[in-house]
Amino acid sequence: MFHIDRQDQYLLQLTPSSTPFPVLCVLHHQLSGDNWLVIQQRLDGSENFFRNWVEYREGFGNLNREFWLGLEHIHQITTSGRHELLVEIGNFGHDHFGWARYSRFVVGDESQRFILQELGAYSGTIGDSLTPNLGKPFSTYDNDNERSGWENCAVRYKGAWWYDLCYVL
């Protein structure tokens, strides 16, 4: 049965001189027993994720509901030490649940267009849909960085991502 783990909010300060920012953490995760920092949460579609580059860079939404932490924060976190990525997909109305785990997760800085720099080894139940996008920059409807040259994938799929030729596996 799919259920929500215990979640708490914290202020994260990566270095003594950096500005702290609020984050949501899952404590004692049901699959791994580990604690995880949440970079995106989608629950019911109440938050619009069809947003521009600046909003994806800075982050948006409400940590109590649906949100995107922000590419700049994700970059700072993933380059501050070794981090993994756990992606969970579930349907709260049914018992459908799947996950993908990557042993390493690094996002480049804005000068690199927040490239998906590293992922590490995959394990999981939903298939490996991120590895094909490794080395790809992030794209939004107003900052098309994928390589098709004829279609903006963020417009096509109504959301920003690390796209490769509009393939979302």
Side-chain angles (χ1 to χ4, degrees), residues 6-125:
R6 184 171 151 226
Q7 298 180 335
D8 285 330
Q9 292 183 25
Y10 297 92
L11 279 177
L12 179 61
Q13 185 172 14
L14 296 170
T15 67
S17 62
S18 66
T19 303
F21 55 93
V23 295
L24 180 67
C25 294
V26 172
L27 306 176
H28 310 292
H29 189 271
Q30 65 182 350
L31 290 176
S32 67
D34 298 323
N35 300 329
W36 294 86
L37 186 141
V38 181
I39 62 172
Q40 177 178 324
Q41 181 166 266
R42 309 254 345 231
L43 300 173
D44 58 12
S46 60
E47 187 71 40
N48 177 12
F49 277 71
F50 190 50
R51 302 223 180 194
N52 66 34
W53 181 264
V54 171
E55 292 171 295
Y56 269 94
R57 181 185 66 213
E58 300 301 317
F60 56 85
N62 180 331
L63 290 180
N64 294 315
R65 298 290 309 144
E66 297 194 336
F67 71 92
W68 172 258
L69 185 61
L71 289 163
E72 185 58 40
H73 290 141
I74 295 167
H75 160 71
Q76 290 172 10
I77 292 164
T78 62
T79 57
S80 70
R82 186 166 181 82
H83 295 279
E84 295 181 74
L85 175 67
L86 177 64
V87 178
E88 295 181 309
I89 297 175
N91 184 331
F92 290 102
H94 303 88
D95 286 341
H96 303 294
F97 175 80
W99 58 275
R101 186 172 182 171
Y102 297 87
S103 64
R104 183 85 171 114
F105 180 55
V106 179
V107 173
D109 66 18
E110 188 169 19
S111 73
Q112 300 168 308
R113 298 170 302 186
F114 299 110
I115 190 171
L116 185 55
Q117 229 169 328
E118 291 184 49
L119 280 175
Y122 161 82
S123 60
T125 62

Side-chain angles (χ1 to χ4, degrees), residues 145-157:
N145 292 310
E146 53 79 31
R147 61 187 177 116
S148 76
W150 55 272
E151 181 177 23
N152 183 322
C153 301
V155 171
R156 178 178 180 183
Y157 293 112

